[in-house]
Amino acid sequence: MSEQSAGPAEWLTMPDVAERLGIPVNRVHQLVRDQSLIAVRENGVLRVPADFITDEGVVKHLPGVLRLLYDARYNEAEALRWLYTPDDSLPGTPAAALRGNRATEVKRRAQALGF
């Protein structure tokens, strides 16, 4: 993460995500392959920001936002950086806005990146 973005406060390993979601680890890997969940590898360990996992599952609008970012040619690291870069006009980060009631605005901004 850059100095401009704080990044996730907590990371989860794939087994941790599987446990929280109540699904097998291979299904978590499938969510990442399907671009419904973002994971980055650090020191050989694949990790997911804990912010994107709720009691109900993966944050509702995350898969759509990730698709928009990937369509705009962002890679995983760039998408994660964008999601955790503070934006005073939101306010906060897109990642925090997805968990709140500003998901539509986050999707609109992600879509604009493709143009």
Side-chain angles (χ1 to χ4, degrees):
M1 300 276 83
S2 70
E3 294 175 353
Q4 294 174 323
S5 59
E10 181 184 358
W11 292 93
L12 300 172
T13 63
M14 301 304 259
D16 293 336
V17 173
E19 183 177 326
R20 286 197 184 184
L21 295 177
I23 61 175
V25 173
N26 64 339
R27 177 70 181 117
V28 177
H29 285 279
Q30 187 64 47
L31 288 170
V32 172
R33 281 191 301 273
D34 292 344
Q35 299 180 335
S36 295
L37 187 61
I38 190 168
V40 293
R41 189 172 300 278
E42 187 172 296
N43 298 325
V45 177
L46 210 51
R47 305 178 314 153
V48 172
D51 297 333
F52 298 142
I53 306 299
T54 69
D55 292 339
E56 292 81 39
V58 175
V59 168
K60 182 178 179 181
H61 297 285
L62 180 65
V65 170
L66 289 175
R67 274 192 252 335
L68 291 167
L69 293 172
Y70 295 144
D71 286 350
R73 301 280 207 202
Y74 278 55
N75 63 31
E76 288 84 2
E78 293 165 336
L80 197 62
R81 189 175 311 114
W82 184 84
L83 286 162
Y84 281 96
T85 298
D87 184 336
D88 292 336
S89 65
L90 272 175
T93 64
L98 281 176
R99 291 181 63 101
N101 60 355
R102 299 177 311 244
T104 300
E105 180 61 18
V106 173
K107 285 197 273 188
R108 185 189 67 74
R109 291 172 188 217
Q111 188 172 26
L113 296 171
F115 295 102

